[in-house]
Amino acid sequence: MLTYLLVDLSSIAIPFVFSFHKGLRFNENWYALWPALLIAAGIFISWDVLYTHLGVWGFNPRYLTGFSLLNLPLEEWLFFICIPYACVFTYHCLGLLLERDYLAPYASLISWFLLLSMAGGAVLFYERLYTGVTFACTALLLLLHLRVFKSAYLGRFYFSYGVILLPFLLVNGILTGSFIEEEVVWYDNGENLSVRVFTIPVEDFVYGMLLILANVTLYEAFKARRASREKGNG
């Protein structure tokens, strides 16, 4: 069965088609999107290769095409393009549809709460590779946003992440064994907290936030760089 491939392609299909919609014009931001996707994918795939080698997680051949590179199935490589594409598209669309940034007044508070929670979790569960590293990396990225980048878009990011959680539950639910006989992706529960939301490890929610925020961070950086260049030329 080609379950994982279908999940990837289904996730990107509608966002890709609607990228050319006259009211959305997401394709006009591809100059920022594709470098962001490729850089983030390079980082997360390297992490993925290592953790697959260490047995922190792995893949059920029953649901794969059988093609692999660096011990990662083709579908896993596509995951880091298809899912971030769909998520950044959602972030872009919500930015257009909602003129007001409803969470802007609370963005700093939310960020500090998440940062301290993630940092505390990383310290408490440092011996669990999935939990400790994911929590620590998320805390570090949030700290960079608060102290270095001083990002003005975190409110919109948190709102978008909240919206994305619904399809996230469906996609990750399928990958972790909901709705199908076996899981597509399996986990060594010795390397996580063994706490699941339905079939989804709780760490996946943090990993998902880290993945999306990394892509949005790079996407916004490339957009800001072009805007600065155009302003300078003007």
Side-chain angles (χ1 to χ4, degrees):
M1 292 187 288
L2 305 179
T3 303
Y4 198 172
L5 181 61
L6 291 174
V7 167
D8 286 336
L9 297 180
S10 298
S11 298
I12 198 174
I14 293 177
F16 183 81
V17 170
F18 276 89
S19 294
F20 304 93
H21 188 282
K22 292 181 180 179
L24 300 176
R25 300 181 185 276
F26 186 54
N27 63 304
E28 295 182 1
N29 290 332
W30 278 4
Y31 71 88
L33 175 70
W34 286 108
L37 294 185
L38 293 174
I39 292 171
I43 296 169
F44 280 86
I45 286 172
S46 299
W47 181 357
D48 207 344
V49 169
L50 176 61
Y51 272 28
T52 301
H53 174 73
L54 295 175
V56 177
W57 55 55
F59 308 93
N60 187 341
R62 175 180 179 182
Y63 298 107
L64 306 174
T65 60
F67 297 101
S68 63
L69 177 64
L70 299 178
N71 204 32
L72 287 186
L74 167 67
E75 295 85 348
E76 185 75 350
W77 286 79
L78 291 175
F79 176 92
F80 291 105
I81 297 297
C82 296
I83 301 303
Y85 187 107
C87 292
V88 179
F89 172 81
T90 302
Y91 169 81
H92 168 81
C93 292
L94 289 172
L96 293 177
L97 295 173
L98 302 175
E99 294 184 4
R100 180 181 172 186
D101 184 352
Y102 290 96
L103 294 182
Y106 316 104
S108 180
L109 180 63
I110 294 170
S111 298
W112 278 113
F113 173 77
L114 290 172
L115 190 160
L116 294 174
S117 299
M118 294 302 102
V123 171
L124 288 173
F125 305 108
Y126 70 91
E127 78 283 0
R128 298 175 186 266
L129 281 176
Y130 188 20
T131 310
V133 173
T134 302
F135 284 19
C137 289
T138 304
L140 176 59
L141 183 55
L142 288 170
L143 183 61
L144 288 172
H145 274 281
L146 288 167
R147 291 302 191 190
V148 180
F149 308 148
K150 301 188 185 301
S151 308
Y153 53 82
L154 285 177
R156 291 192 180 277
F157 167 76
Y158 292 132
F159 190 94
S160 299
Y161 180 71
V163 172
I164 290 166
L165 279 178
L166 183 58
F168 170 88
L169 288 170
L170 176 61
V171 169
N172 268 49
I174 294 172
L175 295 180
T176 55
S178 298
F179 319 115
I180 57 178
E181 293 181 6
E182 302 174 15
E183 69 271 21
V184 179
V185 182
W186 55 261
Y187 296 83
D188 176 358
N189 287 330
E191 302 295 352
N192 60 54
L193 296 177
S194 299
V195 176
R196 302 216 174 196
V197 178
F198 303 111
T199 57
I200 305 170
V202 69
E203 288 84 356
D204 276 11
F205 291 87
V206 182
Y207 183 92
M209 174 180 285
L210 176 62
L211 174 63
I212 300 167
L213 182 55
N215 278 276
V216 167
T217 301
L218 291 165
Y219 171 74
E220 289 287 0
F222 284 119
K223 286 178 64 180
R225 188 171 71 173
R226 172 177 280 196
S228 177
R229 188 187 306 125
E230 290 176 348
K231 183 178 179 180
N233 292 336

